[in-house]
Amino acid sequence: MKDITLKIDNKEFKFPVVIGTENEKGIDISKLRAETGYITLDPGYANTGSCESSITYTNGEKGILRYRGIPIEELAQHSDFIEVANLLIWGTLPTKVMRKRFTDLLTNNALLHEGLKHHFEGFPFDAHPMAMLSAMVNALSCYHPVLALPHSSREIEKAAAILISKIRTITAFSYKMSRGEPFIYPKPEFSYVENLLYMMFSLPHEPYEVRPEVKRAVDLILILHADHEQNCSTSTVRMVASSGANLFASISAGIAALWGHLHGGASQAAIEMLEEIHSGKMDVKQYIKMAKDKKNSFRLMGFGHRVYKNYDPRARILKKLSRNVFKVLKYKDHLLDIALELEEIALNDPYFIERKLYPNVDFYSGLIYRAIGVPKNMFPVFFAIGRLPGWIAHWKEATDINRLQIARPRQIYTGPAKQSYVPMDKRSAAISKN
Ligand code: ACO
């Protein structure tokens, strides 16, 4: 395709166009500043491609999500989380041999080093599990210093297995700690998701029986969260990785980014919103009114998305899944009725229609977690377990020796122009002026 011409002060500059597999077009401005003296300004990076990536394709206008080319709907129907993790990290679905090797690695790495286990004792019992998770994942760098900067495929595979297996144990142990219950150890014969639920909900005298439908529901939720290209937490992982930081440290930073209520924290915020409506403090219409009020910073939680200007395909699957899980568990939750009412009103309101605001992945996931018994503050932790293979895949892609480049954006400075240092005895007048 032809270059794009930019005209500045009657001078023309040409910049190459980069076209992706799905005909996505970008202007390569890497020489813009050197050639013109200008930079681009794009707060929130809504129009900025930070990298080329072969992992995940989204099309927000059409509501498309594909991992390595495979539609999310097909993966949700046929695959499981560990297979999807392999697909994201290695680029292809695993063969039987690869799958067996990775499963064995997960089993062999499920336990935490006793030293690492003692870290839990340093946290207050009501510590937020995302704070513990981020800290514990960073601490893995101390216990696996060589694998923290993996080079060969085998090292990356081992480091990925350590992370994917231990994040599940850390999650279960932090839940147990918050309840003052003893840690429960994983069983090698259980699947990944079975062990997660077993370690969380079992007691020494009362093993938790994992229902196949619940196992499948959690597996599906993890698949749906496994990657979403350059979202805030993944971009954070890539940015931290770009400095040469190790895999565990980069992922720890991603967990911190995910915690925010505009990202992975939204599922907890969405449930709290539904709870408040249910308690009678506010009704659905008041919430909608508040979300539309430009003088109010409140946003309808679990609604809207930077990429999706159509129904989020993951929310569509989760909406259906929530109904199935409720039916199987014979579970009734008034919050589901409120969520459905909220969606119905919002989707018919001109404010939401004009801005193309639809339910996102966080709108229905919390309802399923509630039905299973996962507490609200653990919702983003489950999101992190799901997103982990995506983060690993992006860390691997970003640290590829052929493309490693430190991420360092520019800015437009708007502070004071050059001014002189004011000695202490002359300052009060300057301060009172402000
Ligand atoms: N409720 C009310 N209004 C909204 C909402 C919402 N949930 N989301 C966006 N808008 C409005 C904005 O106020 C803005 O209105 P304006 O054009 O009149 O100024 C317009 O829609 C466009 O919004 P942006 O802020 O430009 O959208 P952006 O892409 O920056 O933000 C985000 C996306 C952060 C997800 C936003 O929709 C939001 O805050 N949603 C609620 C939080 C949430 O659910 N987050 C989870 C996202 S999914 C995930 O991270 C896994």
Side-chain angles (χ1 to χ4, degrees), residues 17-26 53 56-59 229:
V17 169
V18 180
I19 303 179
T21 319
E22 297 290 340
N23 208 26
E24 291 173 297
K25 299 180 197 79
S53 177
T56 288
Y57 171 67
T58 60
N59 182 321
E229 43 116 326

Side-chain angles (χ1 to χ4, degrees), residues 102 105-106 109-110 156-166 392:
F102 196 67
L105 278 174
L106 291 177
N109 284 289
I156 293 175
E157 188 184 32
K158 179 101 193 280
I162 285 175
L163 269 168
I164 294 173
S165 195
K166 290 193 195 305
I392 297 169

Side-chain angles (χ1 to χ4, degrees), residues 28-44:
D28 177 352
I29 53 145
S30 47
K31 302 241 160 47
L32 178 71
R33 188 169 177 277
E35 290 183 7
T36 69
Y38 283 75
I39 61 165
T40 54
L41 184 62
D42 184 21

Side-chain angles (χ1 to χ4, degrees), residues 231-281:
N231 58 86
C232 179
S233 55
T234 303
S235 296
T236 300
V237 169
R238 291 187 78 121
M239 186 153 205
V240 175
S242 80
S243 75
N246 77 55
L247 173 64
F248 303 129
S250 306
I251 289 192
S252 164
I255 293 168
L258 183 72
W259 191 1
H261 72 284
L262 295 183
H263 193 9
S267 54
Q268 178 175 349
I271 285 292
E272 281 164 357
M273 179 180 77
L274 299 177
E275 281 174 345
E276 203 161 276
I277 296 172
H278 186 237
S279 74
K281 269 196 213 142

Side-chain angles (χ1 to χ4, degrees), residues 261-264 266 291-292 294 298-306 309 314 351-352 355 357 360-362 383 387:
H261 72 284
L262 295 183
H263 193 9
K292 293 181 344 185
K294 288 289 145 202
F298 172 78
R299 287 185 165 194
L300 204 58
M301 284 298 151
F303 254 77
H305 198 278
R306 171 61 60 81
K309 303 302 168 197
R314 302 165 300 171
Y351 174 95
F352 290 86
R355 289 168 181 76
L357 301 170
N360 61 48
V361 69
D362 287 320
F383 193 148
R387 185 54 53 90

